[in-house]
Amino acid sequence: MARWFMVLIGLLFFSGQATAEDIAIIKHVQGSVSIKRAGQLLPAQPSNNLEAGDILITAAGSRIGVIFHDGSVLTLEENSLLRITAFEFKPIESKFKFNLDLSKGTTLFETGKIGTLAPDKFSLEVPGGSIGIRGTRFLVEVR
């Protein structure tokens, strides 16, 4: 009985570890870029995966390039802070959601499939407003 209980606890533990879902991959990093995840500051490296809720922080002279699972491409320039608030890309179920929050800095963004299939499900929050996108490439700077 105790053995089955330990197996059950192990399954619950490992299933909890797998709840975070990869939503993007880092393609390139220049300079000092950090990922703030669950209160921890992690160094960003090419090939690292990103999760919803991650905050990208670039230092002076630094930048990062990211490709999301829907094909969207994001470049975050130096001295920027961007939070990936939400990302859901499940085309078979028609579930789409993509929300970013740029607190400061500059980002160049090119929308992927979500921008084409469900453009109303994409938003970029900036201090004092929100930007809706309808399938395009754009540059936003927050000072």
Side-chain angles (χ1 to χ4, degrees), residues 6-55:
M6 293 304 291
V7 170
L8 179 62
I9 294 298
L11 289 173
L12 290 173
F13 175 76
F14 286 112
S15 68
Q17 296 291 315
T19 56
E21 185 176 336
D22 296 335
I23 60 168
I25 187 167
I26 297 172
K27 293 305 288 183
H28 71 271
V29 174
Q30 176 184 326
S32 178
V33 181
S34 300
I35 304 166
K36 188 171 185 180
R37 178 181 296 157
Q40 293 186 338
L41 212 53
L42 310 167
Q45 300 290 327
S47 300
N48 283 162
N49 291 313
L50 297 175
E51 302 171 2
D54 283 352
I55 300 172

Tab-separated table of all heavy atoms in Angstrom, residues 6-55:
chain	number	residue	atom	x	y	z
A	6	MET	N	3.472	6.037	-2.736
A	6	MET	CA	4.675	6.753	-3.190
A	6	MET	C	4.635	6.947	-4.711
A	6	MET	O	5.024	7.993	-5.218
A	6	MET	CB	5.940	5.992	-2.774
A	6	MET	CG	6.147	5.957	-1.276
A	6	MET	SD	6.199	7.603	-0.526
A	6	MET	CE	7.727	8.204	-1.156
A	7	VAL	N	4.148	5.944	-5.451
A	7	VAL	CA	4.028	6.074	-6.901
A	7	VAL	C	3.045	7.180	-7.239
A	7	VAL	O	3.291	8.026	-8.116
A	7	VAL	CB	3.604	4.736	-7.547
A	7	VAL	CG1	3.240	4.931	-9.014
A	7	VAL	CG2	4.714	3.703	-7.398
A	8	LEU	N	1.926	7.212	-6.537
A	8	LEU	CA	0.923	8.255	-6.769
A	8	LEU	C	1.498	9.638	-6.486
A	8	LEU	O	1.320	10.578	-7.268
A	8	LEU	CB	-0.314	7.988	-5.900
A	8	LEU	CG	-1.431	9.018	-6.032
A	8	LEU	CD1	-1.972	9.036	-7.463
A	8	LEU	CD2	-2.534	8.728	-5.053
A	9	ILE	N	2.220	9.782	-5.382
A	9	ILE	CA	2.851	11.070	-5.049
A	9	ILE	C	3.845	11.466	-6.142
A	9	ILE	O	3.898	12.622	-6.568
A	9	ILE	CB	3.558	10.983	-3.675
A	9	ILE	CG1	2.539	10.779	-2.557
A	9	ILE	CG2	4.407	12.225	-3.414
A	9	ILE	CD1	1.551	11.907	-2.397
A	10	GLY	N	4.625	10.500	-6.631
A	10	GLY	CA	5.595	10.776	-7.695
A	10	GLY	C	4.915	11.248	-8.968
A	10	GLY	O	5.348	12.196	-9.609
A	11	LEU	N	3.816	10.589	-9.328
A	11	LEU	CA	3.078	11.001	-10.524
A	11	LEU	C	2.514	12.401	-10.377
A	11	LEU	O	2.561	13.210	-11.311
A	11	LEU	CB	1.952	10.006	-10.822
A	11	LEU	CG	2.404	8.642	-11.342
A	11	LEU	CD1	1.201	7.694	-11.422
A	11	LEU	CD2	3.060	8.783	-12.694
A	12	LEU	N	1.975	12.709	-9.208
A	12	LEU	CA	1.443	14.059	-8.986
A	12	LEU	C	2.548	15.097	-9.045
A	12	LEU	O	2.380	16.168	-9.617
A	12	LEU	CB	0.727	14.119	-7.629
A	12	LEU	CG	-0.582	13.362	-7.545
A	12	LEU	CD1	-1.106	13.358	-6.116
A	12	LEU	CD2	-1.611	13.948	-8.484
A	13	PHE	N	3.723	14.765	-8.475
A	13	PHE	CA	4.846	15.695	-8.489
A	13	PHE	C	5.291	15.987	-9.919
A	13	PHE	O	5.427	17.128	-10.330
A	13	PHE	CB	6.009	15.135	-7.673
A	13	PHE	CG	7.241	15.989	-7.739
A	13	PHE	CD1	7.314	17.170	-7.017
A	13	PHE	CD2	8.310	15.643	-8.544
A	13	PHE	CE1	8.431	17.974	-7.087
A	13	PHE	CE2	9.428	16.440	-8.623
A	13	PHE	CZ	9.495	17.602	-7.886
A	14	PHE	N	5.505	14.911	-10.694
A	14	PHE	CA	6.008	15.115	-12.050
A	14	PHE	C	4.951	15.723	-12.969
A	14	PHE	O	5.270	16.471	-13.864
A	14	PHE	CB	6.555	13.813	-12.628
A	14	PHE	CG	7.870	13.451	-12.020
A	14	PHE	CD1	7.986	12.353	-11.197
A	14	PHE	CD2	8.978	14.243	-12.234
A	14	PHE	CE1	9.207	12.039	-10.613
A	14	PHE	CE2	10.199	13.935	-11.654
A	14	PHE	CZ	10.310	12.828	-10.838
A	15	SER	N	3.678	15.406	-12.736
A	15	SER	CA	2.651	16.038	-13.568
A	15	SER	C	2.590	17.527	-13.292
A	15	SER	O	2.329	18.320	-14.177
A	15	SER	CB	1.281	15.382	-13.353
A	15	SER	OG	0.813	15.656	-12.053
A	16	GLY	N	2.873	17.940	-12.066
A	16	GLY	CA	2.909	19.367	-11.725
A	16	GLY	C	4.064	20.069	-12.408
A	16	GLY	O	3.983	21.236	-12.759
A	17	GLN	N	5.169	19.344	-12.611
A	17	GLN	CA	6.338	19.924	-13.267
A	17	GLN	C	6.062	20.201	-14.737
A	17	GLN	O	6.675	21.037	-15.347
A	17	GLN	CB	7.521	18.959	-13.144
A	17	GLN	CG	7.969	18.743	-11.730
A	17	GLN	CD	8.603	19.978	-11.142
A	17	GLN	OE1	9.411	20.622	-11.793
A	17	GLN	NE2	8.235	20.334	-9.935
A	18	ALA	N	5.143	19.444	-15.330
A	18	ALA	CA	4.903	19.557	-16.758
A	18	ALA	C	3.792	20.541	-17.105
A	18	ALA	O	3.410	20.649	-18.244
A	18	ALA	CB	4.557	18.183	-17.316
A	19	THR	N	3.288	21.289	-16.138
A	19	THR	CA	2.176	22.184	-16.424
A	19	THR	C	2.611	23.396	-17.226
A	19	THR	O	1.830	23.937	-17.977
A	19	THR	CB	1.493	22.656	-15.136
A	19	THR	OG1	2.462	23.269	-14.308
A	19	THR	CG2	0.834	21.490	-14.420
A	20	ALA	N	3.860	23.852	-17.039
A	20	ALA	CA	4.332	25.001	-17.810
A	20	ALA	C	4.490	24.571	-19.264
A	20	ALA	O	5.059	23.532	-19.558
A	20	ALA	CB	5.652	25.500	-17.255
A	21	GLU	N	3.994	25.398	-20.173
A	21	GLU	CA	4.005	25.053	-21.589
A	21	GLU	C	4.963	25.970	-22.342
A	21	GLU	O	4.912	27.188	-22.193
A	21	GLU	CB	2.595	25.210	-22.145
A	21	GLU	CG	2.458	24.765	-23.566
A	21	GLU	CD	1.013	24.863	-24.035
A	21	GLU	OE1	0.112	24.833	-23.194
A	21	GLU	OE2	0.821	24.987	-25.239
A	22	ASP	N	5.830	25.380	-23.144
A	22	ASP	CA	6.730	26.163	-23.982
A	22	ASP	C	5.914	26.838	-25.077
A	22	ASP	O	5.094	26.197	-25.729
A	22	ASP	CB	7.780	25.264	-24.616
A	22	ASP	CG	8.680	24.624	-23.584
A	22	ASP	OD1	8.828	25.188	-22.491
A	22	ASP	OD2	9.232	23.557	-23.887
A	23	ILE	N	6.156	28.125	-25.269
A	23	ILE	CA	5.380	28.868	-26.262
A	23	ILE	C	6.258	29.526	-27.316
A	23	ILE	O	5.759	29.996	-28.325
A	23	ILE	CB	4.508	29.939	-25.586
A	23	ILE	CG1	5.394	30.932	-24.833
A	23	ILE	CG2	3.477	29.285	-24.682
A	23	ILE	CD1	4.666	32.168	-24.383
A	24	ALA	N	7.572	29.564	-27.058
A	24	ALA	CA	8.477	30.251	-27.982
A	24	ALA	C	9.891	29.759	-27.742
A	24	ALA	O	10.180	29.133	-26.715
A	24	ALA	CB	8.404	31.762	-27.775
A	25	ILE	N	10.751	30.054	-28.702
A	25	ILE	CA	12.163	29.700	-28.559
A	25	ILE	C	13.010	30.950	-28.836
A	25	ILE	O	12.668	31.760	-29.701
A	25	ILE	CB	12.537	28.539	-29.512
A	25	ILE	CG1	13.953	28.067	-29.223
A	25	ILE	CG2	12.357	28.937	-30.960
A	25	ILE	CD1	14.293	26.743	-29.879
A	26	ILE	N	14.076	31.076	-28.072
A	26	ILE	CA	14.993	32.191	-28.272
A	26	ILE	C	15.932	31.840	-29.426
A	26	ILE	O	16.579	30.798	-29.405
A	26	ILE	CB	15.810	32.468	-26.988
A	26	ILE	CG1	14.856	32.888	-25.862
A	26	ILE	CG2	16.873	33.525	-27.245
A	26	ILE	CD1	15.537	33.001	-24.510
A	27	LYS	N	15.983	32.704	-30.433
A	27	LYS	CA	16.831	32.450	-31.596
A	27	LYS	C	18.202	33.100	-31.464
A	27	LYS	O	19.191	32.543	-31.909
A	27	LYS	CB	16.150	32.944	-32.886
A	27	LYS	CG	14.912	32.164	-33.243
A	27	LYS	CD	15.159	30.669	-33.338
A	27	LYS	CE	15.958	30.297	-34.559
A	27	LYS	NZ	16.145	28.844	-34.684
A	28	HIS	N	18.244	34.288	-30.908
A	28	HIS	CA	19.549	34.916	-30.713
A	28	HIS	C	19.514	35.870	-29.519
A	28	HIS	O	18.467	36.414	-29.174
A	28	HIS	CB	20.024	35.636	-31.977
A	28	HIS	CG	19.268	36.885	-32.284
A	28	HIS	ND1	18.140	36.893	-33.052
A	28	HIS	CD2	19.472	38.173	-31.903
A	28	HIS	CE1	17.685	38.132	-33.146
A	28	HIS	NE2	18.477	38.922	-32.462
A	29	VAL	N	20.692	36.011	-28.920
A	29	VAL	CA	20.868	36.914	-27.786
A	29	VAL	C	22.150	37.681	-28.016
A	29	VAL	O	23.170	37.099	-28.371
A	29	VAL	CB	20.963	36.141	-26.448
A	29	VAL	CG1	21.296	37.084	-25.299
A	29	VAL	CG2	19.680	35.381	-26.163
A	30	GLN	N	22.068	38.972	-27.831
A	30	GLN	CA	23.262	39.817	-27.913
A	30	GLN	C	23.380	40.585	-26.607
A	30	GLN	O	22.428	41.252	-26.193
A	30	GLN	CB	23.125	40.777	-29.087
A	30	GLN	CG	24.259	41.779	-29.218
A	30	GLN	CD	24.012	42.760	-30.345
A	30	GLN	OE1	23.418	42.412	-31.370
A	30	GLN	NE2	24.448	43.992	-30.154
A	31	GLY	N	24.512	40.492	-25.946
A	31	GLY	CA	24.711	41.209	-24.697
A	31	GLY	C	24.062	40.511	-23.525
A	31	GLY	O	23.982	39.285	-23.482
A	32	SER	N	23.569	41.301	-22.577
A	32	SER	CA	22.996	40.771	-21.343
A	32	SER	C	21.462	40.830	-21.382
A	32	SER	O	20.882	41.904	-21.337
A	32	SER	CB	23.521	41.575	-20.151
A	32	SER	OG	22.943	41.107	-18.962
A	33	VAL	N	20.850	39.657	-21.463
A	33	VAL	CA	19.386	39.556	-21.498
A	33	VAL	C	18.972	38.542	-20.435
A	33	VAL	O	19.579	37.472	-20.314
A	33	VAL	CB	18.876	39.106	-22.879
A	33	VAL	CG1	17.357	39.023	-22.885
A	33	VAL	CG2	19.377	40.040	-23.970
A	34	SER	N	17.945	38.889	-19.667
A	34	SER	CA	17.461	38.011	-18.603
A	34	SER	C	16.001	37.662	-18.820
A	34	SER	O	15.251	38.412	-19.442
A	34	SER	CB	17.605	38.699	-17.243
A	34	SER	OG	18.942	39.012	-16.996
A	35	ILE	N	15.632	36.502	-18.265
A	35	ILE	CA	14.234	36.069	-18.232
A	35	ILE	C	13.835	36.024	-16.760
A	35	ILE	O	14.486	35.339	-15.963
A	35	ILE	CB	14.068	34.656	-18.829
A	35	ILE	CG1	14.617	34.593	-20.243
A	35	ILE	CG2	12.607	34.227	-18.765
A	35	ILE	CD1	14.798	33.176	-20.749
A	36	LYS	N	12.791	36.757	-16.409
A	36	LYS	CA	12.269	36.664	-15.047
A	36	LYS	C	11.096	35.690	-15.083
A	36	LYS	O	10.101	35.924	-15.776
A	36	LYS	CB	11.820	38.023	-14.532
A	36	LYS	CG	11.469	37.995	-13.065
A	36	LYS	CD	11.234	39.390	-12.539
A	36	LYS	CE	11.002	39.338	-11.053
A	36	LYS	NZ	10.773	40.672	-10.506
A	37	ARG	N	11.254	34.577	-14.357
A	37	ARG	CA	10.234	33.529	-14.346
A	37	ARG	C	10.009	33.079	-12.904
A	37	ARG	O	10.937	32.670	-12.231
A	37	ARG	CB	10.690	32.339	-15.197
A	37	ARG	CG	9.730	31.166	-15.216
A	37	ARG	CD	10.245	30.023	-16.044
A	37	ARG	NE	10.369	30.413	-17.444
A	37	ARG	CZ	11.183	29.795	-18.317
A	37	ARG	NH1	11.901	28.773	-17.929
A	37	ARG	NH2	11.249	30.206	-19.567
A	38	ALA	N	8.778	33.153	-12.460
A	38	ALA	CA	8.412	32.715	-11.103
A	38	ALA	C	9.325	33.340	-10.049
A	38	ALA	O	9.772	32.677	-9.115
A	38	ALA	CB	8.426	31.189	-11.019
A	39	GLY	N	9.641	34.623	-10.212
A	39	GLY	CA	10.441	35.341	-9.233
A	39	GLY	C	11.937	35.151	-9.369
A	39	GLY	O	12.704	35.766	-8.634
A	40	GLN	N	12.381	34.282	-10.276
A	40	GLN	CA	13.811	34.052	-10.463
A	40	GLN	C	14.290	34.732	-11.738
A	40	GLN	O	13.575	34.759	-12.744
A	40	GLN	CB	14.117	32.568	-10.555
A	40	GLN	CG	13.868	31.816	-9.273
A	40	GLN	CD	14.330	30.374	-9.368
A	40	GLN	OE1	14.449	29.824	-10.454
A	40	GLN	NE2	14.593	29.769	-8.223
A	41	LEU	N	15.518	35.242	-11.689
A	41	LEU	CA	16.135	35.871	-12.846
A	41	LEU	C	17.082	34.867	-13.501
A	41	LEU	O	18.039	34.399	-12.876
A	41	LEU	CB	16.890	37.120	-12.409
A	41	LEU	CG	16.964	38.270	-13.386
A	41	LEU	CD1	15.598	38.675	-13.897
A	41	LEU	CD2	17.665	39.445	-12.762
A	42	LEU	N	16.799	34.513	-14.762
A	42	LEU	CA	17.582	33.510	-15.483
A	42	LEU	C	18.268	34.167	-16.672
A	42	LEU	O	17.681	35.023	-17.330
A	42	LEU	CB	16.662	32.394	-15.993
A	42	LEU	CG	15.706	31.773	-14.976
A	42	LEU	CD1	14.658	30.933	-15.682
A	42	LEU	CD2	16.496	30.955	-13.991
A	43	PRO	N	19.514	33.771	-16.977
A	43	PRO	CA	20.165	34.322	-18.176
A	43	PRO	C	19.510	33.749	-19.434
A	43	PRO	O	19.265	32.546	-19.509
A	43	PRO	CB	21.616	33.857	-18.036
A	43	PRO	CG	21.561	32.651	-17.154
A	43	PRO	CD	20.376	32.838	-16.256
A	44	ALA	N	19.220	34.583	-20.412
A	44	ALA	CA	18.632	34.126	-21.677
A	44	ALA	C	19.743	33.584	-22.567
A	44	ALA	O	20.802	34.200	-22.693
A	44	ALA	CB	17.910	35.272	-22.360
A	45	GLN	N	19.488	32.444	-23.172
A	45	GLN	CA	20.446	31.805	-24.071
A	45	GLN	C	19.715	31.353	-25.325
A	45	GLN	O	18.550	30.952	-25.248
A	45	GLN	CB	21.059	30.572	-23.390
A	45	GLN	CG	21.793	30.855	-22.116
A	45	GLN	CD	23.091	31.622	-22.342
A	45	GLN	OE1	23.759	31.455	-23.359
A	45	GLN	NE2	23.425	32.489	-21.401
A	46	PRO	N	20.388	31.356	-26.481
A	46	PRO	CA	19.747	30.801	-27.678
A	46	PRO	C	19.303	29.355	-27.430
A	46	PRO	O	19.978	28.605	-26.724
A	46	PRO	CB	20.862	30.865	-28.733
A	46	PRO	CG	21.748	31.976	-28.266
A	46	PRO	CD	21.717	31.905	-26.764
A	47	SER	N	18.161	29.005	-27.992
A	47	SER	CA	17.530	27.677	-27.858
A	47	SER	C	16.744	27.504	-26.563
A	47	SER	O	16.106	26.468	-26.392
A	47	SER	CB	18.529	26.525	-27.994
A	47	SER	OG	19.157	26.573	-29.250
A	48	ASN	N	16.809	28.474	-25.632
A	48	ASN	CA	15.961	28.394	-24.439
A	48	ASN	C	14.511	28.543	-24.870
A	48	ASN	O	14.202	29.266	-25.814
A	48	ASN	CB	16.264	29.517	-23.444
A	48	ASN	CG	17.527	29.282	-22.633
A	48	ASN	OD1	18.029	30.229	-22.070
A	48	ASN	ND2	18.028	28.084	-22.556
A	49	ASN	N	13.625	27.862	-24.147
A	49	ASN	CA	12.188	28.018	-24.381
A	49	ASN	C	11.625	29.090	-23.466
A	49	ASN	O	12.144	29.321	-22.378
A	49	ASN	CB	11.467	26.696	-24.137
A	49	ASN	CG	11.815	25.665	-25.182
A	49	ASN	OD1	11.797	25.964	-26.365
A	49	ASN	ND2	12.152	24.467	-24.760
A	50	LEU	N	10.567	29.719	-23.912
A	50	LEU	CA	9.868	30.716	-23.100
A	50	LEU	C	8.480	30.206	-22.755
A	50	LEU	O	7.913	29.383	-23.477
A	50	LEU	CB	9.770	32.047	-23.848
A	50	LEU	CG	11.101	32.717	-24.167
A	50	LEU	CD1	10.872	33.965	-25.019
A	50	LEU	CD2	11.836	33.089	-22.885
A	51	GLU	N	7.931	30.724	-21.650
A	51	GLU	CA	6.608	30.337	-21.183
A	51	GLU	C	5.750	31.584	-21.003
A	51	GLU	O	6.273	32.681	-20.811
A	51	GLU	CB	6.724	29.626	-19.828
A	51	GLU	CG	7.609	28.408	-19.856
A	51	GLU	CD	7.898	27.847	-18.465
A	51	GLU	OE1	7.370	28.391	-17.469
A	51	GLU	OE2	8.654	26.868	-18.394
A	52	ALA	N	4.457	31.406	-21.040
A	52	ALA	CA	3.551	32.522	-20.734
A	52	ALA	C	3.852	32.998	-19.320
A	52	ALA	O	4.075	32.188	-18.421
A	52	ALA	CB	2.105	32.077	-20.858
A	53	GLY	N	3.892	34.312	-19.151
A	53	GLY	CA	4.215	34.895	-17.853
A	53	GLY	C	5.666	35.324	-17.755
A	53	GLY	O	6.021	36.080	-16.846
A	54	ASP	N	6.531	34.848	-18.655
A	54	ASP	CA	7.937	35.248	-18.630
A	54	ASP	C	8.063	36.746	-18.907
A	54	ASP	O	7.295	37.328	-19.674
A	54	ASP	CB	8.744	34.492	-19.686
A	54	ASP	CG	9.065	33.064	-19.265
A	54	ASP	OD1	8.806	32.697	-18.104
A	54	ASP	OD2	9.579	32.324	-20.123
A	55	ILE	N	9.058	37.343	-18.277
A	55	ILE	CA	9.392	38.754	-18.509
A	55	ILE	C	10.789	38.800	-19.101
A	55	ILE	O	11.726	38.230	-18.533
A	55	ILE	CB	9.328	39.555	-17.197
A	55	ILE	CG1	7.917	39.497	-16.605
A	55	ILE	CG2	9.769	41.003	-17.429
A	55	ILE	CD1	7.813	40.090	-15.205
